[in-house]
Amino acid sequence: MDREHGGGRRGLGRVEADLFPACAGSYALWFTLAQPAAGQVGRLGWCAFPAGGYVYLGSALGPGGLRGRLGRHLRPVLRPHWHIDVFRAWAVLSGVSFRCGPQRLECAWVGRLLALGAEAVVHGFGASDCTAGCPAHLLRLPEGMRPEEGAHALGAVWVGC
């Protein structure tokens, strides 16, 4: 499905940004992509994504912390700014997990999930400012892995839809 024919922005439904703490921390957005999708993703160019479960890993260490950053991810995307803004138009967000703390954990989390069988479908996706050499910060989950299991593997709090 291309971007023009994908659905609109889908969100967490009953989950609101004020459920998340305003602390600094790292987070994971868990998605389901029901059918393959493809389209232009910023400077990455044309990208194709097979159907399946996905996770996007990030951090929120600035003002507003997790509440501010996750609140942005829960709002409709009017003008895509980040790679994940484009992907969100195609996928259904099934949950969020997070962990408070001043450290950037997303790269360690990428390594942990890769070790569990996740894969980077589009090299560089969400990792344009990564200095740790991650292949991507959006990973396709291994077949059968449920998001709550992934959140547990990261040692993160799970908030599902």
Side-chain angles (χ1 to χ4, degrees), residues 26-92:
S26 298
Y27 63 91
L29 303 174
W30 304 87
F31 296 95
T32 300
L33 186 61
Q35 54 187 319
Q40 185 73 26
V41 180
R43 293 184 185 145
L44 292 176
W46 188 263
C47 300
F49 302 89
Y54 285 82
V55 61
Y56 173 76
L57 304 151
S59 61
L61 304 180
L66 289 166
R67 182 176 298 152
R69 180 61 54 86
L70 293 171
R72 189 213 182 274
H73 288 310
L74 294 174
R75 288 191 300 270
V77 176
L78 301 176
R79 289 187 206 156
H81 177 70
W82 293 318
H83 296 154
I84 195 62
D85 293 339
V86 176
F87 186 80
R88 286 173 48 206
W90 299 319
V92 174

Side-chain angles (χ1 to χ4, degrees), residues 2 23 28-29 36 43 47 52-54 63 69 76-77 79 96-97 104 114 117 119 121 124 131 137 140 143 153 156:
D2 62 29
C23 64
L29 303 174
R43 293 184 185 145
C47 300
Y54 285 82
R69 180 61 54 86
V77 176
R79 289 187 206 156
V96 174
S97 53
R104 290 185 180 276
L114 289 171
E119 64 176 322
V121 174
T131 59
H137 283 194
R140 185 167 184 251
E143 188 72 31

Side-chain angles (χ1 to χ4, degrees), residues 100-160:
C100 290
Q103 308 87 3
R104 290 185 180 276
L105 298 176
E106 68 264 35
C107 295
W109 287 355
V110 165
R112 189 170 298 156
L113 291 168
L114 289 171
L116 293 173
E119 64 176 322
V121 174
V122 175
H123 187 79
F125 189 104
S128 54
D129 62 351
C130 178
T131 59
C134 294
H137 283 194
L138 177 74
L139 302 176
R140 185 167 184 251
L141 300 175
E143 188 72 31
M145 178 185 272
R146 294 187 349 243
E148 345 26 314
E149 295 168 335
H152 179 73
L154 301 179
V157 175
W158 164 255
V159 179

